[in-house]
Amino acid sequence: MLHTFEISTSKRDELRDITRDIVSFVKKSGVKEGIAVVYCPHTTAGIAINENADPDVKHDVLMRLDEVYPWEHPQYRHAEGNTASHLKSITAGPSQTIIIHGGELLLGRWQGIYFCEFDGPRHRQYAVKIVAG
C-alpha cells in the first residue's frame, strides 16, 4: 500500500512533524504487523526521526546544521547556490523505516517523524509505503 502526501513548507530550513499523518495512514491500512517506509524524493529535503516533545530540539538541530553547513561558503561550486541544502539532505537521509506492531508505529515515547526542508519554502511530496509481514 503506497500513499503520496503533499506538504508545503514556509521557511528555508524547517522540520515539520508528519507523525500524525503517517499514524493515520497506518491505521487506515489495517496492517497489524509490518513496516512503514517514509521516503522523500527531493535532493534538498529529507526524513528524520527525533524528539517531538520539546520544540527547542528542532531549533537546536537546525542551528547546528547551519553551523556545519553554512549557506554561503567561498569554496562551494554548485551553480544553483544551494549546496548547503544538499549537504543537509545527505545528513538527514531520504527515508526512514518504522516497524508496525499491533497496528501501531513502533516509535519511542518522545519520537516523531519529520519532513526536513532545507531549501524552502516549497511545495513538496513524500511517500509512505506500508509492507505487511
Side-chain angles (χ1 to χ4, degrees):
M1 178 174 232
L2 175 71
H3 184 70
T4 301
F5 292 85
E6 305 284 328
I7 188 168
S8 292
T9 59
S10 59
K11 300 175 188 168
R12 182 177 72 196
D13 293 301
E14 184 176 354
L15 301 181
R16 294 278 302 276
D17 188 344
I18 57 174
T19 310
R20 186 174 292 163
D21 291 335
I22 298 166
V23 166
S24 177
F25 181 58
V26 168
K27 287 187 187 296
K28 286 180 188 176
S29 76
V31 171
K32 298 297 181 200
E33 302 294 329
I35 58 171
V37 179
V38 184
Y39 175 73
C40 172
H42 305 288
T43 61
T44 58
I47 304 293
I49 296 176
N50 212 298
E51 180 177 335
N52 69 350
D54 181 351
D56 288 338
V57 171
K58 293 190 300 186
H59 169 270
D60 294 349
V61 167
L62 291 174
M63 177 192 67
R64 187 64 179 127
L65 284 172
D66 277 342
E67 291 171 358
V68 174
Y69 306 118
W71 194 255
E72 294 182 21
H73 189 283
Q75 294 179 350
Y76 286 162
R77 299 168 93 180
H78 182 46
E80 292 179 21
N82 62 350
T83 296
S85 62
H86 289 283
L87 294 169
K88 292 173 186 180
S89 173
I90 289 169
T91 299
S95 66
Q96 294 290 326
T97 302
I98 306 106
I99 295 168
I100 301 169
H101 178 66
E104 305 282 334
L105 290 175
L106 194 60
L107 290 170
R109 170 180 278 183
W110 308 112
Q111 287 183 318
I113 307 163
Y114 289 95
F115 182 90
C116 307
E117 174 64 76
F118 300 122
D119 196 22
R122 292 194 184 216
H123 183 73
R124 303 280 203 167
Q125 296 179 332
Y126 64 93
V128 179
K129 173 75 173 181
I130 296 178
V131 180

